[in-house]
Amino acid sequence: MAIVSTLFGGICGFVAFICAALVFDVGILSALNLYALTGISISACLIASTAIWRQISQPARQYSRTHCA
């Protein structure tokens, strides 16, 4: 899932870069910063949400009385 999240974050970052450079007419360094921050943040959010979803969706483990203090 991390590879897919990174790919999706990179594509979204590239779209943000193009929009910043062409539509909003900002400098190249600002557009590159937006590309990096958008890509990293979307990738991190997808990876974290996937990890949380996997933990939530697992069936509850049944503990025996020896594990309960």
Side-chain angles (χ1 to χ4, degrees):
M1 185 62 195
I3 295 171
V4 174
S5 298
T6 305
L7 179 65
F8 187 71
I11 291 170
C12 290
F14 184 71
V15 170
F17 170 76
I18 294 298
C19 287
L22 298 179
V23 176
F24 297 109
D25 196 32
V26 297
I28 189 71
L29 287 179
S30 297
L32 285 175
N33 284 332
L34 183 65
Y35 169 67
L37 291 176
T38 303
I40 290 171
S41 63
I42 289 176
S43 298
C45 287
L46 287 173
I47 290 170
S49 63
T50 303
I52 291 169
W53 179 256
R54 286 184 180 173
Q55 289 297 321
I56 290 173
S57 64
Q58 287 181 352
R61 293 188 177 107
Q62 298 295 326
Y63 292 104
S64 64
R65 290 195 176 267
T66 58
H67 290 95
C68 297

